[in-house]
């Protein structure tokens, strides 16, 4: 078993700054879908770019998103008990960039981003997304610096945007990918 | 706000079979990385292909994987308190296919899949993976049909395989993707 040992980085019992930095780089080697999480906080929209979300279950339809615990989006999602997740297409990198910036404005955040809502108080759904989900918070779990927010789908885009490719983040870059059809799995 | 309403599929309070099937299709529109989760159960290796995992935190380095609650891999991970996650490269679709089959054999599961271990009782790390992580189970949460397993990284592949592209699953197909460099995010 020489290969694993020769390339292993063993972390300290209390990970060092170097351990964390090394992990941060390695974590980018998993390709990530890119989405926008949106919620409503009082009169304001809160929306951020995320890559750390998964589909948890079909029964009932359940999604998980990991949010930094001290973020405004985490506050808004937990307080309102509702959020939207819009899965971005390859031609929506500008949206991902804008909502991925630190220090996004409180007012007018979505002024130049076409979006819709299911009702007046609903979180924003990004137009042109591959698909989107409107969710009710079912559970919140703390995990290190983050909150794991489990949401049950209450509504979703029934007709996916089938003419587009996914926006993918890999090795710290937004990638416009061309997909070469593989073998059906 | 006409767009959202016109394409929305609103789920029943108790989702119907049609709701679940529609969600299952829409969920495939999020591109997914492909990885192998491995654990040791007594004398045996258990290993399955997964796409539903995320990096949760850098401090400490923490990963989450969603596993079907009634699966043998979930039993093995929870009982042993340890698992490995190997993030596959584009040229490892055969590994994903083999370990993604229902009814994988108990004996000889990894016979034809090159792998290593960090120690004799450690879970299998897949050779040729983009990167891998050896993890200690920190928490387990139930969510619908699945278990959310939170793991803290104890060791990882310190030298990523930088010559390869990620294996990506999108719309129910394993994709060998060609990535066109985007703008650094």
């Amino acid at each position: 078993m020489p290969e694993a040992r020769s390339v292993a980085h063993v972390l300290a019992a209390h990970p060092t700054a170097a351990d964390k930095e090394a992990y941060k780089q390695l974590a980018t080697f998993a390709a990530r879908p890119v989405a926008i999480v949106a919620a409503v906080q009082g009169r304001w929209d809160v929306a951020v770019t995320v890559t750390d979300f998964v589909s948890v279950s079909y029964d009932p339809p359940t999604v998980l998103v990991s949010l930094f615990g001290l973020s405004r989006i985490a506050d808004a999602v937990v307080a309102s008990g509702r959020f939207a997740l819009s899965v971005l297409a390859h031609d929506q990198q500008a949206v991902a960039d804008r909502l991925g910036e630190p220090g996004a404005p409180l007012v007018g955040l979505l002024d130049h981003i076409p979006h819709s809502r299911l009702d007046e108080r609903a979180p924003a759904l990004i137009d042109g997304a591959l698909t989107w989900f409107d969710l009710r918070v079912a559970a919140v779990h703390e995990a290190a610096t983050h909150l794991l927010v489990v949401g049950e789908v209450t509504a979703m885009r029934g007709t996916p945007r089938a003419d587009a490719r996914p926006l993918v983040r890999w090795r710290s870059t937004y990638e416009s990918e061309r997909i070469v059809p593989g073998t059906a799995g």
Side-chain angles (χ1 to χ4, degrees), chain A:
Chain A
M1 312 161 208
E3 197 204 341
R5 282 182 190 149
S6 66
V7 296
H9 173 135
V10 178
L11 278 70
H14 296 279
T16 63
D19 288 340
K20 295 170 198 170
E21 188 55 36
Y23 172 76
K24 198 168 178 175
Q25 295 304 314
L26 289 175
T28 70
F29 277 77
R32 306 298 326 167
V34 182
I36 303 299
V37 170
V40 174
Q41 188 174 48
R43 299 167 52 200
W44 312 110
D45 284 304
V46 187
V48 300
T49 304
V50 298
T51 56
D52 294 320
F53 65 98
V54 294
S55 173
V56 169
S57 183
Y58 305 138
D59 191 13
T62 305
V63 169
L64 175 144
V65 60
S66 172
L67 299 173
F68 181 56
L70 299 179
S71 62
R72 200 149 70 86
I73 188 69
D75 286 349
V77 169
V78 171
S80 68
R82 185 179 183 180
F83 65 104
L85 183 81
S86 300
V87 181
L88 297 186
H90 72 287
D91 53 6
Q92 295 186 296
Q93 188 182 324
V95 176
D97 283 343
R98 177 154 170 82
L99 296 178
E101 288 169 8
L106 179 63
V107 179
L109 178 66
L110 299 176
D111 278 359
H112 303 289
I113 298 175
H115 59 281
S116 310
R117 299 174 200 276
L118 289 171
D119 59 71
E120 284 296 324
R121 300 181 65 82
L125 304 162
I126 306 301
D127 291 353
L130 290 172
T131 190
W132 43 248
F133 304 95
D134 199 274
L135 303 112
R136 172 182 56 227
V137 174
V140 180
H141 306 287
E142 287 185 35
T145 52
H146 279 59
L147 293 184
L148 307 175
V149 179
V150 179
E152 287 183 13
V153 178
T154 57
M156 56 198 182
R157 183 174 168 145
T159 308
R161 184 182 160 196
D163 64 330
R165 295 299 186 188
L167 185 62
V168 173
R169 196 165 167 87
W170 189 59
R171 298 186 68 179
S172 305
T173 302
Y174 287 114
E175 309 284 356
S176 305
E177 58 160 1
R178 281 194 289 247
I179 285 191
V180 182
T183 310

